[in-house]
Coordinates of all heavy atoms in Angstrom, one line a residue:
M1030 N 102.8 19.6 -76.2 CA 102.8 20.9 -75.8 C 102.1 21.0 -74.4 O 101.1 20.4 -74.2 CB 102.1 21.8 -76.8 CG 102.1 23.3 -76.5 SD 101.3 24.4 -77.8 CE 101.8 23.8 -79.3
T1031 N 102.7 21.7 -73.5 CA 102.1 21.9 -72.2 C 101.0 22.9 -72.2 O 100.9 23.7 -73.1 CB 103.2 22.3 -71.1 OG1 103.5 23.7 -71.4 CG2 104.4 21.4 -71.1
L1032 N 100.1 22.9 -71.2 CA 99.1 23.9 -71.1 C 99.6 25.3 -71.0 O 99.0 26.2 -71.6 CB 98.1 23.6 -70.0 CG 97.2 22.3 -70.1 CD1 96.3 22.2 -68.9 CD2 96.4 22.4 -71.4
Q1033 N 100.7 25.5 -70.3 CA 101.3 26.8 -70.3 C 101.8 27.3 -71.6 O 101.6 28.5 -72.0 CB 102.6 26.8 -69.3 CG 102.2 26.6 -67.9 CD 102.0 25.2 -67.4 OE1 102.1 24.2 -68.2 NE2 101.7 25.0 -66.2
E1034 N 102.3 26.4 -72.5 CA 102.7 26.7 -73.8 C 101.5 27.0 -74.7 O 101.5 27.9 -75.5 CB 103.5 25.6 -74.4 CG 104.9 25.4 -73.8 CD 105.6 24.1 -74.2 OE1 105.0 23.1 -74.6 OE2 106.9 24.2 -74.1
V1035 N 100.5 26.2 -74.5 CA 99.2 26.4 -75.3 C 98.6 27.8 -75.0 O 98.3 28.6 -76.0 CB 98.2 25.4 -75.0 CG1 96.8 25.7 -75.6 CG2 98.6 24.0 -75.5
I1036 N 98.5 28.2 -73.8 CA 97.9 29.4 -73.4 C 98.7 30.6 -73.8 O 98.2 31.7 -74.0 CB 97.4 29.5 -72.0 CG1 96.2 30.4 -71.8 CG2 98.6 29.8 -71.0 CD1 95.4 30.2 -70.6
K1037 N 100.1 30.5 -73.9 CA 101.0 31.5 -74.3 C 100.9 31.8 -75.8 O 101.3 32.9 -76.2 CB 102.4 31.2 -73.9 CG 102.7 31.4 -72.5 CD 104.3 31.1 -72.3 CE 104.7 31.2 -70.9 NZ 106.1 30.9 -70.8
Q1038 N 100.5 30.9 -76.6 CA 100.4 31.1 -78.0 C 99.5 32.2 -78.4 O 98.4 32.3 -77.9 CB 99.9 29.8 -78.7 CG 100.8 28.6 -78.5 CD 102.2 28.8 -79.2 OE1 102.3 29.2 -80.3 NE2 103.2 28.5 -78.4
P1039 N 100.0 33.1 -79.3 CA 99.2 34.3 -79.6 C 97.8 34.0 -80.3 O 96.9 34.7 -80.2 CB 100.1 35.2 -80.5 CG 101.1 34.2 -80.9 CD 101.3 33.1 -79.9
G1040 N 97.7 32.9 -81.0 CA 96.6 32.6 -81.7 C 95.6 31.6 -81.0 O 94.7 31.1 -81.7
T1041 N 95.8 31.3 -79.8 CA 95.0 30.3 -79.1 C 93.6 30.7 -79.0 O 93.2 31.8 -78.7 CB 95.5 30.1 -77.6 OG1 96.9 29.6 -77.7 CG2 94.7 29.1 -76.9
T1042 N 92.7 29.7 -79.4 CA 91.3 29.9 -79.3 C 90.9 29.1 -78.0 O 91.2 28.0 -77.8 CB 90.5 29.3 -80.5 OG1 91.0 29.9 -81.7 CG2 89.0 29.4 -80.3
I1043 N 90.1 29.8 -77.1 CA 89.7 29.2 -75.9 C 88.1 28.9 -76.0 O 87.4 29.8 -76.4 CB 89.9 30.2 -74.7 CG1 91.4 30.5 -74.5 CG2 89.4 29.5 -73.4 CD1 91.7 31.5 -73.5
V1044 N 87.8 27.6 -75.9 CA 86.5 27.2 -76.0 C 85.9 26.6 -74.7 O 86.5 25.7 -74.2 CB 86.3 26.2 -77.1 CG1 84.9 25.7 -77.3 CG2 86.8 26.7 -78.5
D1045 N 84.8 27.1 -74.3 CA 84.1 26.6 -73.1 C 83.0 25.7 -73.6 O 82.1 26.1 -74.3 CB 83.4 27.8 -72.4 CG 82.7 27.4 -71.1 OD1 82.2 26.4 -71.0 OD2 82.7 28.3 -70.2
V1046 N 83.1 24.4 -73.2 CA 82.2 23.4 -73.8 C 81.0 23.1 -72.8 O 80.3 22.2 -73.0 CB 82.9 22.0 -74.1 CG1 84.0 22.3 -75.2 CG2 83.5 21.4 -72.9
R1047 N 80.8 24.0 -71.8 CA 79.7 23.9 -70.9 C 78.4 24.3 -71.6 O 78.5 24.9 -72.6 CB 79.9 24.7 -69.6 CG 81.2 24.2 -68.8 CD 81.4 25.1 -67.6 NE 81.7 26.4 -68.1 CZ 81.5 27.5 -67.3 NH1 81.0 27.4 -66.0 NH2 81.7 28.7 -67.7
E1048 N 77.3 24.1 -70.9 CA 76.1 24.6 -71.5 C 75.9 26.1 -71.3 O 76.6 26.7 -70.5 CB 74.9 24.0 -70.7 CG 74.8 22.5 -70.9 CD 74.6 22.1 -72.4 OE1 73.7 22.7 -73.1 OE2 75.2 21.2 -72.9
P1049 N 75.1 26.8 -72.2 CA 75.0 28.3 -72.1 C 74.7 28.8 -70.8 O 75.2 29.9 -70.4 CB 73.9 28.6 -73.1 CG 74.0 27.5 -74.1 CD 74.4 26.2 -73.3
F1050 N 73.8 28.1 -70.0 CA 73.4 28.7 -68.7 C 74.6 28.7 -67.7 O 74.7 29.5 -66.8 CB 72.3 27.9 -68.1 CG 72.6 26.5 -67.5 CD1 73.0 26.3 -66.2 CD2 72.5 25.4 -68.4 CE1 73.3 25.1 -65.7 CE2 72.7 24.1 -67.9 CZ 73.2 24.0 -66.6
E1051 N 75.6 27.7 -67.9 CA 76.8 27.7 -67.1 C 77.8 28.8 -67.6 O 78.4 29.5 -66.8 CB 77.5 26.4 -67.3 CG 76.7 25.2 -66.7 CD 77.4 23.9 -67.1 OE1 77.3 23.5 -68.2 OE2 78.0 23.3 -66.1
F1052 N 77.8 29.0 -68.9 CA 78.8 30.0 -69.5 C 78.4 31.4 -69.0 O 79.3 32.2 -68.6 CB 78.7 29.9 -71.0 CG 79.6 30.8 -71.7 CD1 80.9 30.5 -71.9 CD2 79.1 32.0 -72.3 CE1 81.8 31.3 -72.6 CE2 80.0 32.9 -73.0 CZ 81.4 32.5 -73.1
V1053 N 77.1 31.7 -68.9 CA 76.7 33.1 -68.6 C 77.0 33.4 -67.1 O 77.1 34.5 -66.7 CB 75.2 33.4 -68.9 CG1 75.0 33.4 -70.4 CG2 74.3 32.5 -68.1
R1054 N 77.1 32.3 -66.3 CA 77.5 32.5 -64.9 C 78.9 32.9 -64.6 O 79.3 33.2 -63.5 CB 77.1 31.2 -64.1 CG 75.6 31.0 -64.0 CD 75.4 29.7 -63.2 NE 74.0 29.4 -63.2 CZ 73.5 28.3 -62.8 NH1 74.3 27.2 -62.5 NH2 72.2 28.1 -62.8
G1055 N 79.7 32.7 -65.6 CA 81.2 33.0 -65.6 C 82.0 32.2 -66.5 O 81.6 31.0 -66.7
H1056 N 82.9 32.8 -67.2 CA 83.8 32.1 -68.1 C 85.1 32.7 -68.2 O 85.3 33.9 -67.7 CB 83.1 32.0 -69.5 CG 82.7 33.3 -70.0 ND1 81.5 33.9 -69.7 CD2 83.3 34.2 -70.8 CE1 81.4 35.1 -70.3 NE2 82.5 35.3 -71.0
A1057 N 86.1 32.1 -68.8 CA 87.4 32.6 -69.0 C 87.3 33.7 -70.0 O 86.5 33.7 -71.0 CB 88.3 31.5 -69.6
E1058 N 88.1 34.7 -69.8 CA 88.2 35.9 -70.6 C 88.5 35.5 -72.1 O 89.5 34.7 -72.3 CB 89.2 36.9 -70.1 CG 89.3 38.2 -70.9 CD 90.3 39.2 -70.3 OE1 90.6 39.1 -69.1 OE2 90.7 40.1 -71.1
G1059 N 87.7 36.0 -73.0 CA 87.9 35.7 -74.4 C 87.4 34.3 -74.9 O 87.5 34.0 -76.1
A1060 N 86.8 33.5 -74.0 CA 86.3 32.2 -74.4 C 85.0 32.3 -75.2 O 84.2 33.3 -75.0 CB 86.0 31.4 -73.1
I1061 N 84.9 31.4 -76.1 CA 83.6 31.2 -76.8 C 82.9 30.0 -76.3 O 83.6 29.1 -75.8 CB 83.8 31.2 -78.4 CG1 84.7 30.0 -78.8 CG2 84.4 32.5 -78.9 CD1 84.8 29.8 -80.2
N1062 N 81.6 30.0 -76.4 CA 80.8 28.9 -75.8 C 80.3 28.0 -77.0 O 79.5 28.4 -77.8 CB 79.6 29.5 -75.0 CG 78.8 28.4 -74.4 OD1 77.6 28.5 -74.3 ND2 79.4 27.4 -73.7
I1063 N 80.8 26.8 -77.0 CA 80.3 25.7 -77.9 C 80.1 24.5 -77.0 O 81.0 23.8 -76.7 CB 81.3 25.5 -79.0 CG1 81.6 26.7 -79.8 CG2 80.8 24.3 -79.9 CD1 82.7 26.6 -80.9
P1064 N 78.8 24.3 -76.6 CA 78.5 23.1 -75.8 C 78.9 21.8 -76.4 O 78.9 21.6 -77.6 CB 77.0 23.2 -75.6 CG 76.7 24.6 -75.9 CD 77.6 25.1 -76.9
L1065 N 79.3 20.9 -75.5 CA 79.8 19.6 -75.9 C 78.9 18.9 -76.9 O 79.4 18.4 -77.9 CB 80.0 18.7 -74.7 CG 80.5 17.2 -74.9 CD1 81.9 17.2 -75.6 CD2 80.5 16.4 -73.7
G1066 N 77.6 18.9 -76.7 CA 76.7 18.2 -77.5 C 76.6 18.7 -78.9 O 76.1 18.1 -79.8
T1067 N 77.0 20.0 -79.2 CA 77.0 20.6 -80.5 C 78.3 20.4 -81.3 O 78.3 20.8 -82.5 CB 76.6 22.1 -80.4 OG1 77.7 22.8 -79.8 CG2 75.3 22.3 -79.6
I1068 N 79.3 19.9 -80.7 CA 80.6 19.8 -81.3 C 80.6 19.0 -82.7 O 81.1 19.5 -83.7 CB 81.7 19.4 -80.4 CG1 82.0 20.5 -79.3 CG2 83.0 19.0 -81.1 CD1 82.9 20.1 -78.3
P1069 N 79.9 17.8 -82.7 CA 79.9 17.1 -84.0 C 79.4 18.0 -85.2 O 79.9 17.9 -86.3 CB 79.1 15.9 -83.7 CG 79.3 15.7 -82.3 CD 79.3 17.0 -81.6
S1070 N 78.3 18.7 -84.9 CA 77.8 19.5 -86.0 C 78.6 20.8 -86.3 O 78.3 21.4 -87.3 CB 76.3 19.9 -85.6 OG 76.3 20.8 -84.5
R1071 N 79.6 21.1 -85.5 CA 80.4 22.3 -85.7 C 81.8 21.9 -86.0 O 82.7 22.8 -85.8 CB 80.3 23.2 -84.5 CG 78.8 23.7 -84.3 CD 78.6 24.5 -83.1 NE 79.1 25.8 -83.3 CZ 79.0 26.8 -82.4 NH1 78.3 26.6 -81.3 NH2 79.5 28.0 -82.7
L1072 N 82.1 20.7 -86.4 CA 83.4 20.2 -86.7 C 84.2 21.1 -87.6 O 85.4 21.4 -87.4 CB 83.4 18.8 -87.1 CG 84.7 18.1 -87.3 CD1 85.6 18.1 -86.0 CD2 84.5 16.6 -87.8
E1073 N 83.6 21.5 -88.7 CA 84.3 22.3 -89.7 C 84.7 23.7 -89.1 O 85.7 24.2 -89.4 CB 83.4 22.6 -90.9 CG 83.2 21.3 -91.8 CD 84.6 20.6 -92.1 OE1 85.5 21.3 -92.6 OE2 84.7 19.4 -91.9
E1074 N 83.9 24.2 -88.2 CA 84.2 25.4 -87.5 C 85.5 25.2 -86.7 O 86.4 26.1 -86.7 CB 83.0 25.8 -86.6 CG 83.2 27.2 -85.9 CD 82.0 27.6 -85.1 OE1 80.9 26.9 -85.2 OE2 82.2 28.5 -84.2
F1075 N 85.6 24.1 -86.0 CA 86.8 23.8 -85.2 C 88.0 23.7 -86.1 O 89.1 24.2 -85.7 CB 86.6 22.6 -84.4 CG 85.9 22.8 -83.1 CD1 84.5 22.6 -83.0 CD2 86.6 23.2 -81.9 CE1 83.9 22.8 -81.8 CE2 85.9 23.4 -80.7 CZ 84.6 23.2 -80.7
K1076 N 87.8 23.1 -87.2 CA 88.9 22.9 -88.2 C 89.5 24.2 -88.7 O 90.7 24.4 -89.0 CB 88.6 22.0 -89.3 CG 88.4 20.5 -88.9 CD 88.0 19.6 -90.0 CE 88.0 18.2 -89.6 NZ 87.6 17.3 -90.7
S1077 N 88.6 25.2 -88.8 CA 89.0 26.5 -89.3 C 89.4 27.5 -88.2 O 89.9 28.6 -88.5 CB 87.9 27.1 -90.1 OG 86.8 27.5 -89.4
M1078 N 89.3 27.1 -86.9 CA 89.7 28.0 -85.8 C 91.2 28.3 -85.8 O 92.0 27.4 -86.2 CB 89.3 27.4 -84.5 CG 87.8 27.5 -84.2 SD 87.5 26.8 -82.5 CE 85.7 27.0 -82.5
S1079 N 91.6 29.4 -85.2 CA 93.0 29.7 -84.9 C 93.5 28.6 -83.9 O 92.8 28.3 -83.0 CB 93.1 31.1 -84.4 OG 94.4 31.4 -84.1
K1080 N 94.7 28.1 -84.2 CA 95.2 27.0 -83.4 C 96.3 27.6 -82.5 O 96.9 28.6 -82.9 CB 95.8 25.9 -84.2 CG 94.8 25.4 -85.3 CD 93.7 24.6 -84.7 CE 92.8 23.9 -85.7 NZ 92.1 24.7 -86.7
P1081 N 96.6 27.0 -81.3 CA 95.9 25.8 -80.8 C 94.5 26.1 -80.2 O 94.2 27.3 -80.0 CB 96.9 25.3 -79.7 CG 97.6 26.5 -79.3 CD 97.7 27.4 -80.5
I1082 N 93.7 25.1 -79.9 CA 92.4 25.3 -79.3 C 92.5 24.7 -77.9 O 92.9 23.5 -77.7 CB 91.4 24.5 -80.1 CG1 91.3 25.0 -81.5 CG2 90.0 24.7 -79.4 CD1 90.5 24.2 -82.4
L1083 N 92.2 25.6 -76.9 CA 92.1 25.1 -75.5 C 90.7 25.0 -75.1 O 89.9 26.0 -75.1 CB 92.9 26.2 -74.7 CG 93.0 25.9 -73.2 CD1 93.8 24.6 -72.9 CD2 93.5 27.1 -72.4
L1084 N 90.3 23.8 -74.7 CA 88.9 23.5 -74.3 C 88.9 23.4 -72.8 O 89.8 22.8 -72.2 CB 88.4 22.2 -75.0 CG 88.5 22.3 -76.5 CD1 89.4 21.1 -77.0 CD2 87.1 22.1 -77.0
Y1085 N 87.8 23.8 -72.2 CA 87.6 23.6 -70.8 C 86.1 23.5 -70.5 O 85.3 23.8 -71.3 CB 88.2 24.8 -69.9 CG 87.4 26.1 -70.0 CD1 86.4 26.3 -69.1 CD2 87.7 27.0 -70.9 CE1 85.7 27.5 -69.1 CE2 87.0 28.2 -71.0 CZ 86.0 28.4 -70.1 OH 85.2 29.6 -70.1
C1086 N 85.8 23.0 -69.3 CA 84.4 22.9 -68.8 C 84.4 23.2 -67.3 O 85.1 24.1 -66.9 CB 83.9 21.5 -69.1 SG 84.8 20.1 -68.4
A1087 N 83.6 22.5 -66.6 CA 83.6 22.7 -65.1 C 84.7 21.9 -64.4 O 85.3 22.4 -63.5 CB 82.2 22.3 -64.5
S1088 N 84.9 20.7 -64.8 CA 85.8 19.8 -64.1 C 87.0 19.2 -65.0 O 87.9 18.7 -64.5 CB 85.1 18.6 -63.5 OG 84.6 17.8 -64.6
G1089 N 86.8 19.3 -66.3 CA 87.8 18.7 -67.2 C 87.2 17.4 -67.9 O 87.8 16.9 -68.8
N1090 N 86.1 16.9 -67.4 CA 85.5 15.7 -68.0 C 85.0 16.0 -69.4 O 85.4 15.3 -70.4 CB 84.4 15.2 -67.1 CG 83.9 13.8 -67.6 OD1 84.4 13.2 -68.5 ND2 82.8 13.4 -67.0
R1091 N 84.1 17.0 -69.5 CA 83.5 17.3 -70.8 C 84.6 17.8 -71.8 O 84.5 17.4 -73.0 CB 82.3 18.2 -70.7 CG 81.1 17.7 -70.1 CD 80.0 18.7 -69.9 NE 80.3 19.5 -68.7 CZ 79.6 20.5 -68.3 NH1 78.4 20.8 -68.9 NH2 79.9 21.1 -67.2
S1092 N 85.5 18.6 -71.3 CA 86.5 19.1 -72.2 C 87.4 18.0 -72.7 O 87.9 18.0 -73.8 CB 87.3 20.3 -71.6 OG 87.8 19.9 -70.4
G1093 N 87.6 17.0 -71.8 CA 88.4 15.8 -72.2 C 87.7 15.0 -73.3 O 88.4 14.5 -74.3
Q1094 N 86.4 14.8 -73.2 CA 85.7 14.2 -74.2 C 85.7 14.9 -75.5 O 85.9 14.4 -76.6 CB 84.1 14.0 -73.8 CG 83.9 13.1 -72.7 CD 82.5 13.1 -72.3 OE1 81.6 13.0 -73.1 NE2 82.2 13.3 -70.9
A1095 N 85.6 16.3 -75.4 CA 85.6 17.1 -76.6 C 87.0 17.0 -77.3 O 87.1 16.9 -78.5 CB 85.3 18.5 -76.2
T1096 N 88.1 17.1 -76.5 CA 89.4 17.0 -77.0 C 89.6 15.7 -77.7 O 90.2 15.7 -78.8 CB 90.5 17.2 -75.8 OG1 90.2 18.4 -75.2 CG2 91.9 17.1 -76.4
N1097 N 89.3 14.6 -77.1 CA 89.4 13.2 -77.7 C 88.7 13.2 -79.0 O 89.2 12.7 -80.0 CB 89.0 12.2 -76.8 CG 89.9 12.0 -75.6 OD1 91.0 12.4 -75.6 ND2 89.4 11.4 -74.5
Y1098 N 87.4 13.7 -79.0 CA 86.7 13.7 -80.3 C 87.3 14.5 -81.4 O 87.5 14.0 -82.5 CB 85.2 14.2 -80.0 CG 84.4 14.3 -81.2 CD1 83.8 13.1 -81.8 CD2 84.2 15.5 -81.9 CE1 83.1 13.2 -83.0 CE2 83.5 15.5 -83.1 CZ 82.9 14.4 -83.6 OH 82.2 14.5 -84.8
L1099 N 87.7 15.7 -81.1 CA 88.3 16.6 -82.1 C 89.6 16.0 -82.6 O 89.9 16.0 -83.8 CB 88.5 18.0 -81.5 CG 87.3 18.8 -81.3 CD1 87.6 20.0 -80.4 CD2 86.6 19.1 -82.6
N1100 N 90.5 15.4 -81.7 CA 91.7 14.8 -82.1 C 91.5 13.7 -83.0 O 92.1 13.5 -84.1 CB 92.5 14.3 -80.9 CG 93.1 15.4 -80.0 OD1 93.6 15.2 -78.9 ND2 93.1 16.6 -80.5
S1101 N 90.4 12.8 -82.8 CA 90.1 11.7 -83.6 C 89.5 12.1 -84.9 O 89.5 11.3 -85.9 CB 89.1 10.7 -82.9 OG 87.8 11.3 -82.8
C1102 N 89.0 13.4 -85.0 CA 88.4 13.9 -86.3 C 89.4 14.7 -87.1 O 89.0 15.5 -87.9 CB 87.1 14.6 -86.0 SG 85.8 13.6 -85.4
G1103 N 90.6 14.7 -86.7 CA 91.6 15.5 -87.5 C 91.9 16.9 -87.0 O 92.3 17.7 -87.8
V1104 N 91.7 17.1 -85.7 CA 92.0 18.4 -85.1 C 93.0 18.2 -84.0 O 92.7 18.1 -82.9 CB 90.7 19.2 -84.6 CG1 91.1 20.6 -84.1 CG2 89.6 19.2 -85.6
P1105 N 94.3 18.0 -84.4 CA 95.3 17.6 -83.5 C 95.7 18.7 -82.5 O 96.3 18.4 -81.5 CB 96.5 17.1 -84.3 CG 96.3 17.9 -85.6 CD 94.8 18.1 -85.8
D1106 N 95.4 19.9 -82.8 CA 95.8 21.0 -82.0 C 94.8 21.4 -81.0 O 94.7 22.6 -80.6 CB 96.2 22.2 -82.9 CG 97.4 21.9 -83.7 OD1 98.3 21.2 -83.2 OD2 97.6 22.5 -84.8
A1107 N 93.9 20.5 -80.6 CA 92.9 20.7 -79.5 C 93.5 20.1 -78.2 O 94.0 19.0 -78.2 CB 91.6 20.1 -79.9
F1108 N 93.4 20.9 -77.1 CA 94.0 20.4 -75.8 C 92.9 20.6 -74.7 O 92.2 21.6 -74.7 CB 95.2 21.3 -75.5 CG 96.3 21.1 -76.5 CD1 96.4 22.0 -77.6 CD2 97.2 20.1 -76.3 CE1 97.4 21.8 -78.5 CE2 98.2 20.0 -77.3 CZ 98.3 20.8 -78.4
N1109 N 93.0 19.7 -73.8 CA 92.1 19.8 -72.6 C 92.7 20.7 -71.6 O 93.7 20.3 -71.0 CB 91.8 18.4 -72.0 CG 90.9 18.3 -70.9 OD1 90.3 19.4 -70.5 ND2 90.7 17.2 -70.3
G1110 N 92.0 21.8 -71.3 CA 92.5 22.7 -70.3 C 92.0 22.4 -68.9 O 92.4 23.1 -67.9
G1111 N 91.1 21.4 -68.8 CA 90.5 21.1 -67.5 C 89.3 21.9 -67.2 O 88.5 22.2 -68.0
G1112 N 89.2 22.3 -65.9 CA 88.1 23.1 -65.5 C 88.3 24.5 -65.6 O 89.4 25.0 -65.8
L1113 N 87.2 25.3 -65.4 CA 87.2 26.7 -65.5 C 88.3 27.3 -64.5 O 89.1 28.2 -64.9 CB 85.9 27.3 -65.2 CG 85.8 28.9 -65.0 CD1 86.3 29.6 -66.3 CD2 84.4 29.3 -64.8
N1114 N 88.3 26.8 -63.3 CA 89.2 27.3 -62.3 C 90.7 27.0 -62.7 O 91.6 27.9 -62.5 CB 89.0 26.7 -60.9 CG 87.7 27.2 -60.3 OD1 87.2 28.3 -60.7 ND2 87.2 26.4 -59.4
D1115 N 90.9 25.9 -63.4 CA 92.3 25.6 -63.9 C 92.7 26.6 -64.9 O 93.9 27.1 -64.9 CB 92.3 24.1 -64.5 CG 91.9 23.1 -63.5 OD1 92.3 23.2 -62.3 OD2 91.3 22.1 -63.9
V1116 N 91.9 26.8 -65.9 CA 92.2 27.8 -67.0 C 92.3 29.2 -66.4 O 93.3 29.9 -66.8 CB 91.1 27.8 -68.1 CG1 91.3 28.9 -69.1 CG2 91.1 26.4 -68.8
Y1117 N 91.5 29.6 -65.5 CA 91.6 30.9 -64.9 C 92.9 31.1 -64.2 O 93.6 32.0 -64.3 CB 90.4 31.1 -64.0 CG 90.4 32.5 -63.3 CD1 90.0 33.6 -64.0 CD2 90.9 32.7 -62.0 CE1 90.0 34.9 -63.4 CE2 90.9 33.9 -61.4 CZ 90.5 35.0 -62.1 OH 90.5 36.2 -61.5
F1118 N 93.2 30.1 -63.4 CA 94.5 30.1 -62.6 C 95.7 30.1 -63.5 O 96.6 30.9 -63.3 CB 94.6 28.9 -61.6 CG 95.8 28.8 -60.8 CD1 96.0 29.8 -59.8 CD2 96.8 27.9 -61.1 CE1 97.2 29.8 -59.0 CE2 98.0 27.9 -60.3 CZ 98.2 28.8 -59.3
L1119 N 95.7 29.3 -64.6 CA 96.8 29.3 -65.5 C 96.9 30.7 -66.2 O 98.1 31.2 -66.4 CB 96.5 28.2 -66.6 CG 97.6 27.9 -67.5 CD1 98.9 27.4 -66.8 CD2 97.2 26.8 -68.4
A1120 N 95.8 31.3 -66.6 CA 95.9 32.6 -67.3 C 96.5 33.6 -66.3 O 97.2 34.5 -66.7 CB 94.5 33.0 -67.8
M1121 N 96.1 33.5 -65.1 CA 96.6 34.5 -64.1 C 98.1 34.3 -63.9 O 98.8 35.3 -63.7 CB 95.9 34.3 -62.7 CG 94.4 34.7 -62.8 SD 94.1 36.4 -63.3 CE 94.8 37.3 -61.9
Q1122 N 98.6 33.1 -63.9 CA 100.0 32.8 -63.8 C 100.8 33.4 -64.9 O 101.9 33.9 -64.8 CB 100.3 31.3 -63.7 CG 100.0 30.7 -62.4 CD 100.4 29.2 -62.4 OE1 100.2 28.5 -63.4 NE2 100.9 28.8 -61.3
M1123 N 100.2 33.3 -66.1 CA 100.8 33.8 -67.3 C 100.9 35.3 -67.3 O 101.8 35.9 -67.9 CB 100.1 33.4 -68.6 CG 100.1 31.9 -68.8 SD 101.7 31.2 -69.1 CE 101.9 30.2 -67.6
Q1124 N 100.0 36.0 -66.7 CA 100.0 37.5 -66.6 C 101.1 38.0 -65.6 O 101.5 39.1 -65.7 CB 98.6 38.0 -66.2 CG 97.6 37.8 -67.3 CD 96.2 38.2 -66.9 OE1 96.1 38.8 -65.8 NE2 95.3 38.0 -67.8
S1125 N 101.5 37.2 -64.6 CA 102.4 37.6 -63.6 C 103.8 37.6 -64.1 O 104.2 36.9 -65.0 CB 102.4 36.7 -62.4 OG 101.1 36.3 -62.1

């Protein structure tokens, strides 16, 4: 599934894996903040989230790690959205 298809899905959950101090400085509309380091302890929460799950961070590195971890733990509908600017730009394209 492409990122355009992921973001178009009505049930997509958007997760910002940056630290809370980064999240409060700005985040994608509707995103929830679950920092990368807390993901293992919140695995069941991810499994019960509305799918697909679009993860992002500042550059795509942490969200890539999170995506790989979740996929390896049985959450195949998790996708790396890249950085905040990537997700913001993609969302703006979808609104046009």
Side-chain angles (χ1 to χ4, degrees):
M1030 188 178 312
T1031 68
L1032 289 180
Q1033 289 85 358
E1034 293 169 332
V1035 170
I1036 208 160
K1037 281 184 183 180
Q1038 297 296 311
T1041 299
T1042 301
I1043 302 173
V1044 179
D1045 184 324
V1046 300
R1047 299 176 301 156
E1048 294 299 316
F1050 75 89
E1051 295 172 287
F1052 184 79
V1053 297
R1054 291 181 183 162
H1056 54 272
E1058 185 176 337
I1061 58 173
N1062 184 220
I1063 302 178
L1065 177 62
T1067 67
I1068 290 175
S1070 66
R1071 298 177 73 172
L1072 185 57
E1073 292 307 313
E1074 185 178 346
F1075 277 94
K1076 289 182 177 181
S1077 67
M1078 284 179 181
S1079 178
K1080 309 293 188 293
I1082 302 170
L1083 181 65
L1084 301 121
Y1085 75 89
C1086 61
S1088 67
N1090 185 11
R1091 287 177 281 181
S1092 55
Q1094 292 175 48
T1096 300
N1097 291 338
Y1098 176 77
L1099 291 169
N1100 290 168
S1101 73
C1102 290
V1104 185
D1106 293 329
F1108 299 90
N1109 182 4
L1113 172 59
N1114 290 338
D1115 299 323
V1116 171
Y1117 181 79
F1118 181 70
L1119 188 58
M1121 293 301 291
Q1122 282 184 324
M1123 296 296 114
Q1124 291 177 5
S1125 323

